[in-house]
Amino acid sequence: RKNTKRVPSFRKLLRTSKIKLDNKLKNKQYKQQSAAKKYRKEQKKLREAVRDAISRKPFPLEECKKKQVVGKQEEDEEEDALPLDMMDEDDLKLMEDLAQKASFLTRDLSSNEPVHVKKRKCESVIDKYEKVPRRMQTEPEKEVIHLLPIKDKGGIIPQTMEKPVLNVAEDEEEDTEEMEEEEDFNEEPLPVLTPEEMAAQRRQKLQERKMHIAALASAILSEPDNNIKKLKELRAMLMEQDPNVAVIVRKLVMVSLMEVFKDIVPSYKIRPLTEAEKATKVKKETQKLREFEEGLVSQYKFYLENLEQTIKDWKQRKLKKSNVISLKAYKGLAEIAVKCLCELLVALPHFNFHNNIIVLIVPLMNDASKMISELCFEAVKKLFKQDKLGYASLGVVKVISGLVRGRNYDVRPEVLKVFLHLRIKEVELQKDSEDIAPKKKFMTYKEKRKNLSRMQRKWKKAEEKLERELLEAEASESKEKKLKLHTETLNIVFVTYFRILKKAQKSPLLPAVLEGLAKFAHLINVEFFDDLLIVLHSLIASGGLSYRESLHCILSAFHILSGQGDVLNIDPMKFYTHLYKTLFSLHAGGTNGDTEIVLQCLDVMFAKRRKQVSQQRALAFLKRLSTLALHVLPNSSVGILATNRVLMQTFPKMDLLLDNESQGSGVYLPELDEPEHCNAQNTALWELHLLQRHYHPTVQKFAAHLIVGAPTEGSGALSLDLSQRPATELFEAYSMRGMTFNPPVASVTPRRKDTFSQMDSFIDEELNKQLQQHISETVVHKPLDFAKHLKESSFS
């Protein structure tokens, strides 16, 4: 029969994976071992059968035991004694035929079954009966497996086979014998190493692993298309089992894979192929590219799963069965895994499984470990800053919103402060019905056909095509998409903020919420303005907020009113009053940092709402800010004086406070908390004379500038580097956080004309002797009795 099995071609061998070839080799070896084992068992059974046959004595058939029957013993003796001449010829012939067959000899003569002495009508029944194998009753019954029958000229021959009985005891004995032989072979004791030798061996192993990692990584980077299988080999080293070098090797492999993926990943997202695409024939280059992309995505997925499993094992304090790595070492591995995930989050926002990385990173921002949470914060901030379109930012914001709601607002405030780094400057506002309605075409197809000639229609078509191309060049579509994404992102942010304002007003998340509202308040929809202002005022009036939180409330309210809130008829006098009342909470201590928020509030309240502010209010704030500048740090004084300069230039008649004469009736009441009724026009800015003698030179310049009326030109004008910078920028520029003085103080070294080696040359010789004598004497402390001197003075 011709062998139809073909030898595999070289191309097929190349496609066959290494694991499949290894499995084939293992199966072949296993078959050879089992065949050898079976042969040994058969030989052993054969030897036992020969040994039993030799030990047993043969016995004649006449000595077989006869069954004793009480009633028929005599009849049996008579039958045995019958001579052959008294038997029929047919019976005698049948006995002779049976005697020539082996089945007759193996028959159990002691059985009580009747002997078939009658002549058979059909001899085929006898043949069929003879073909059935006979067994002695003493033999144990064996299970039989019926096989397919064989058909020949004589008929159908049934085929059977004994079911093999697994002798477990024999197998165990053989296995133990083999194990004993192996133990005898490996009885050589392992050499005991000293600590120095163990350290040297560990360094050698580590160096070998490093060289292997470097070789694999360089091969992948040199030709990624051809060496994608080496990526799998490198990833397999994440399962390093040598306990001496397992931790370091796994860390090195994690970082190496992260850098490799950052280099070889394409700048587009790889989608899975459809069935139709797989079925179509393509070029060799296209097929090669598809295989590379498929292998890259699968290895990247497995790598991310390994990192995730490492973090989960550390979080659950769970050890693997192998116990290669201790529980303490798992923390270091988890930190490296988080670093790799953060790097991939920032470096590959366009590639596959980016949302999976976001789902892993965002909950770790609320982790108890400070190092891991800070790593995640920085990664998310970088992602927000570099995300130009908004897809990645939207994904992160969705996960953060779900995390805050799922934990019942029990998260760290830094999780919400991440929203402040979003790059959102404009959103889609509610449009009128005219804008939403689709634009009507100038001319329909029928009108063109009727009114325009063929050439005119041709020119019109070319013109429309050109307009479309110009729109594509301007990327107007991407701008609309960006606006939609930003709008959706900001909606989720505001929903999170409003939930906390409504349900968790006493939560530690409130400062972060107020700070976020202060930044994005100008983008809130007009429908929420009234309710939001009422909530902010109730929070301030409750008195449960800190000074910084109340400042954020005021800043949020004025951001709302300075944007779309201009159309609303709302008087924010209560917010002006609260800020005026709490200005003196600032000082040179811990609240000095809050000055920046105060300066932002003043800029929004006066510079951007100059038409809605009265003169009395502006005068009151100018006077109180000048007083405040006396007892804060220099950077705060510079910022406050810069704000005073803006007030004097923005509002007319501010020079009233530079004159000693009072204007109108009443006396200035500095302790009154109402800026409209404190009669600020009847006082003067005497604080500027004190600030002219301030130790900081920039404060002196601002004070001298304000005393002459804050002119924009002339000798009293400020330099450009001071006049063109806003107050908040000046506050940061002259900050004293690093314990440095801006501008730096010049070091002055005193000049000495004469140097004296002995300091005693200034003292007279006689005085020097008395001093030395006094120093050498032992001092005796006597108790002082003041009562004695008092009595003497009273008597006198």
Side-chain angles (χ1 to χ4, degrees):
R1 187 180 177 185
K2 188 177 179 181
N3 188 11
T4 56
K5 190 173 182 182
R6 294 180 181 177
V7 179
S9 62
F10 181 70
R11 185 180 295 276
K12 193 170 183 181
L13 283 173
L14 280 178
R15 288 182 182 174
T16 309
S17 65
K18 190 179 177 182
I19 296 174
K20 192 178 283 188
L21 292 172
D22 292 344
N23 290 340
K24 285 184 178 179
L25 184 62
K26 286 178 184 176
N27 290 337
K28 189 176 180 182
Q29 291 174 354
Y30 176 73
K31 285 180 181 177
Q32 290 174 356
Q33 290 173 3
S34 59
K37 198 172 183 180
K38 190 175 179 182
Y39 177 73
R40 287 199 302 271
K41 285 183 181 179
E42 290 175 354
Q43 292 294 322
K44 189 174 181 181
K45 287 181 180 178
L46 188 62
R47 286 195 297 271
E48 288 177 357
V50 170
R51 203 182 303 124
D52 293 342
I54 294 170
S55 61
R56 290 176 185 172
K57 291 180 180 180
F59 54 90
L61 292 173
E62 290 81 9
E63 294 180 2
C64 289
K65 293 181 181 179
K66 297 177 182 179
K67 198 171 183 179
Q68 296 178 2
V69 181
V70 179
K72 296 182 180 181
Q73 189 172 7
E74 293 178 358
E75 295 177 5
D76 291 342
E77 288 177 0
E78 290 178 358
E79 286 178 3
D80 291 338
L82 284 173
L84 291 174
D85 55 352
M86 293 182 66
M87 295 179 67
D88 294 338
E89 292 180 2
D90 296 335
D91 293 338
L92 184 61
K93 190 176 181 181
L94 181 62
M95 290 293 290
E96 288 175 358
D97 292 338
L98 289 173
Q100 291 177 1
K101 293 183 180 181
S103 60
F104 180 76
L105 297 175
T106 57
R107 184 176 180 80
D108 189 6
L109 300 177
S110 61
S111 63
N112 199 19
E113 295 176 359
V115 181
H116 301 283
V117 292
K118 295 180 180 179
K119 189 176 180 179
R120 303 296 179 190
K121 295 179 181 178
C122 184
E123 290 185 358
S124 62
V125 178
I126 299 171
D127 296 338
K128 195 173 183 180
Y129 180 77
E130 288 298 330
K131 286 177 183 177
V132 176
R134 292 168 174 75
R135 291 192 300 268
M136 300 288 288
Q137 284 189 355
T138 53
E139 294 180 8
E141 292 186 0
K142 295 181 179 180
E143 294 185 18
V144 176
I145 299 173
H146 294 279
L147 304 176
L148 291 173
I150 299 172
K151 186 176 181 181
D152 60 355
K153 295 178 181 179
I156 296 172
I157 304 171
Q159 298 290 317
T160 56
M161 186 181 75
E162 293 181 4
K163 190 174 182 180
V165 180
L166 296 173
N167 197 346
V168 182
E170 290 181 4
D171 293 345
E172 288 179 357
E173 286 176 5
E174 289 183 4
D175 293 338
T176 50
E177 287 175 4
E178 290 175 2
M179 290 292 290
E180 285 173 3
E181 289 175 1
E182 289 178 2
E183 287 175 3
D184 294 341
F185 184 71
N186 297 327
E187 271 182 359
E188 297 178 4
L190 293 171
V192 180
L193 299 176
T194 60
E196 291 81 6
E197 291 174 346
M198 289 174 69
Q201 188 180 9
R202 181 177 178 276
R203 282 195 296 272
Q204 184 182 357
K205 284 182 182 178
L206 198 56
Q207 189 64 26
E208 289 174 0
R209 301 292 197 283
K210 285 180 181 178
M211 293 300 293
H212 189 47
I213 292 168
L216 289 172
S218 60
I220 295 164
L221 292 175
S222 60
E223 293 184 22
D225 300 345
N226 300 327
N227 295 323
I228 195 68
K229 289 184 179 178
K230 292 190 177 179
L231 196 62
K232 183 179 180 182
E233 188 179 348
L234 183 59
R235 188 181 59 80
M237 293 183 73
L238 282 172
M239 299 294 114
E240 177 65 43
Q241 296 299 321
D242 192 343
N244 294 327
V245 294
V247 179
I248 298 177
V249 169
R250 291 188 185 188
K251 288 181 180 179
L252 291 173
V253 173
M254 282 181 188
V255 178
S256 303
L257 279 169
M258 181 260 295
E259 293 294 339
V260 167
F261 280 121
K262 281 168 65 176
D263 286 340
I264 68 172
V265 160
S267 59
Y268 54 88
K269 189 174 182 179
I270 299 171
R271 63 173 181 81
L273 297 174
T274 60
E275 293 297 329
E277 288 174 340
K278 289 179 181 178
T280 55
K281 290 184 178 181
V282 292
K283 295 180 181 178
K284 288 183 179 179
E285 292 81 6
T286 311
Q287 185 63 30
K288 188 177 180 182
L289 180 62
R290 284 182 177 180
E291 289 175 358
F292 165 70
E293 289 178 347
E294 189 178 353
L296 179 64
V297 170
S298 63
Q299 293 305 319
Y300 187 60
K301 179 187 174 184
F302 292 142
Y303 172 61
L304 293 179
E305 286 175 353
N306 285 333
L307 296 181
E308 181 187 6
Q309 193 59 45
T310 303
I311 297 169
K312 280 184 179 178
D313 291 343
W314 169 66
K315 294 287 285 182
Q316 297 171 0
R317 303 290 189 272
K318 188 171 72 175
L319 282 174
K320 297 287 183 185
K321 293 180 181 178
S322 57
N323 289 331
V324 175
I325 297 174
S326 63
L327 201 57
K328 290 181 180 178
Y330 254 105
K331 186 180 180 183
L333 275 176
E335 288 176 358
I336 297 295
V338 171
K339 280 183 183 177
C340 294
L341 285 171
C342 291
E343 285 286 332
L344 294 172
L345 178 76
V346 177
L348 306 175
H350 61 278
F351 198 58
N352 302 46
F353 310 114
H354 190 256
N355 289 334
N356 302 69
I357 300 175
I358 290 172
V359 172
L360 281 174
I361 290 293
V362 168
L364 292 174
M365 292 165 64
N366 196 39
D367 194 75
S369 174
K370 189 176 180 182
M371 181 180 176
I372 288 178
S373 61
E374 285 180 356
L375 280 172
C376 298
F377 284 138
E378 292 301 320
V380 174
K381 288 176 187 175
K382 285 180 185 176
L383 183 66
F384 282 162
K385 286 177 182 177
Q386 74 177 24
D387 186 23
K388 294 180 181 179
L389 194 58
Y391 279 115
S393 301
L394 178 60
V396 174
V397 168
K398 281 181 179 178
V399 178
I400 290 176
S401 178
L403 177 71
V404 172
R405 192 177 180 185
R407 298 278 178 90
N408 198 16
Y409 312 105
D410 185 18
V411 295
R412 298 171 67 178
E414 288 82 0
V415 176
L416 285 183
K417 284 184 180 178
V418 172
F419 288 158
L420 299 175
H421 299 273
L422 285 167
R423 288 181 59 181
I424 299 177
K425 294 182 181 178
E426 55 180 346
V427 293
E428 282 185 335
L429 302 174
Q430 281 191 348
K431 298 180 180 179
D432 299 331
S433 58
E434 296 178 1
D435 297 334
I436 296 171
K439 293 180 180 179
K440 190 177 180 182
K441 289 185 179 180
F442 181 70
M443 293 177 76
T444 60
Y445 176 73
K446 288 183 178 180
E447 290 173 351
K448 284 180 184 178
R449 185 102 181 180
K450 185 177 180 180
N451 300 325
L452 299 177
S453 65
R454 186 176 180 183
M455 187 59 68
Q456 287 174 334
R457 288 199 303 271
K458 194 173 181 181
W459 278 104
K460 194 80 177 172
K461 190 174 182 181
E463 189 179 346
E464 288 175 357
K465 185 180 178 182
L466 182 62
E467 285 179 1
R468 283 198 301 270
E469 289 176 356
L470 287 172
L471 285 173
E472 288 176 4
E474 291 174 2
S476 59
E477 187 181 354
S478 64
K479 189 177 179 183
E480 291 176 2
K481 197 180 291 184
K482 181 180 177 182
L483 279 176
K484 283 183 181 179
L485 289 170
H486 284 182
T487 307
E488 189 178 352
T489 303
L490 208 59
N491 285 341
I492 297 170
V493 170
F494 284 140
V495 165
T496 307
Y497 285 164
F498 294 159
R499 276 181 188 152
I500 294 170
L501 284 175
K502 186 178 179 181
K503 298 181 181 179
Q505 291 188 357
K506 295 183 179 179
S507 168
L509 301 176
L510 191 61
V513 170
L514 296 172
E515 197 171 347
L517 284 174
K519 182 173 181 180
F520 301 116
H522 61 287
L523 301 172
I524 299 176
N525 201 342
V526 185
E527 298 174 358
F528 302 109
F529 280 2
D530 287 336
D531 296 335
L532 194 55
L533 287 172
I534 291 168
V535 170
L536 292 174
H537 183 257
S538 64
L539 284 171
I540 292 172
S542 65
L545 301 180
S546 66
Y547 182 56
R548 189 180 182 87
E549 292 169 6
S550 63
L551 289 176
H552 281 306
C553 281
I554 296 169
L555 188 59
S556 304
F558 280 99
H559 271 306
I560 291 169
L561 294 173
S562 62
Q564 303 172 62
D566 289 337
V567 297
L568 300 176
N569 190 16
I570 298 173
D571 183 20
M573 184 61 199
K574 45 198 173 187
F575 294 107
Y576 280 101
T577 304
H578 182 77
L579 182 63
Y580 182 79
K581 181 171 62 177
T582 58
L583 270 178
F584 286 133
S585 299
L586 293 173
H587 52 76
T591 59
N592 187 69
D594 299 336
T595 309
E596 185 177 6
I597 308 172
V598 172
L599 295 175
Q600 292 175 8
C601 290
L602 292 169
D603 180 52
V604 180
M605 293 162 74
F606 290 97
K608 295 182 180 179
R609 292 176 59 85
R610 59 175 69 91
K611 294 180 180 178
Q612 289 90 357
V613 178
S614 64
Q615 183 182 347
Q616 290 293 330
R617 197 182 302 173
L619 287 168
F621 269 93
L622 182 62
K623 174 63 180 174
R624 182 155 286 197
L625 286 171
S626 301
T627 309
L628 179 64
L630 291 172
H631 59 271
V632 289
L633 290 178
N635 61 332
S636 297
S637 298
V638 171
I640 290 168
L641 292 176
T643 305
N644 284 354
R645 176 177 174 272
V646 173
L647 287 175
M648 293 181 75
Q649 291 178 349
T650 305
F651 295 93
K653 298 182 181 180
M654 289 290 108
D655 53 352
L656 292 175
L657 298 179
L658 300 176
D659 193 0
N660 289 333
E661 295 181 3
S662 60
Q663 300 287 332
S665 61
V667 181
Y668 174 58
L669 303 172
E671 70 279 358
L672 194 67
D673 293 334
E674 294 291 336
E676 296 282 350
H677 309 292
C678 65
N679 299 323
Q681 74 276 3
N682 294 327
T683 184
L685 295 178
W686 51 266
E687 295 90 355
L688 295 177
H689 290 280
L690 293 175
L691 290 170
Q692 270 188 309
R693 296 172 176 82
H694 199 277
Y695 64 89
H696 201 283
T698 311
V699 178
Q700 295 175 13
K701 289 178 184 178
F702 267 101
H705 173 67
L706 292 175
I707 279 178
V708 295
T712 56
E713 296 177 350
S715 59
L718 283 174
S719 59
L720 290 175
D721 62 327
L722 294 177
S723 61
Q724 292 185 352
R725 296 166 78 181
T728 51
E729 190 177 334
L730 289 168
F731 173 78
E732 286 294 331
Y734 293 97
S735 176
M736 300 178 68
R737 287 175 189 166
M739 300 305 291
T740 55
F741 193 80
N742 186 13
V745 181
S747 59
V748 180
T749 55
R751 295 179 181 178
R752 296 181 181 179
K753 292 183 180 180
D754 300 319
T755 56
F756 299 94
S757 58
Q758 293 182 354
M759 296 299 294
D760 298 337
S761 57
F762 290 104
I763 306 173
D764 188 16
E765 292 182 2
E766 188 176 351
L767 183 60
N768 194 13
K769 287 180 182 178
Q770 290 179 1
L771 285 171
Q772 294 295 334
Q773 185 179 358
H774 183 72
I775 290 168
S776 61
E777 290 177 359
T778 55
V779 181
V780 179
H781 295 282
K782 296 180 180 179
L784 298 175
D785 190 3
F786 294 102
K788 179 181 177 182
H789 297 288
L790 288 171
K791 287 176 183 178
E792 290 177 357
S793 61
S794 63
F795 285 128
S796 61

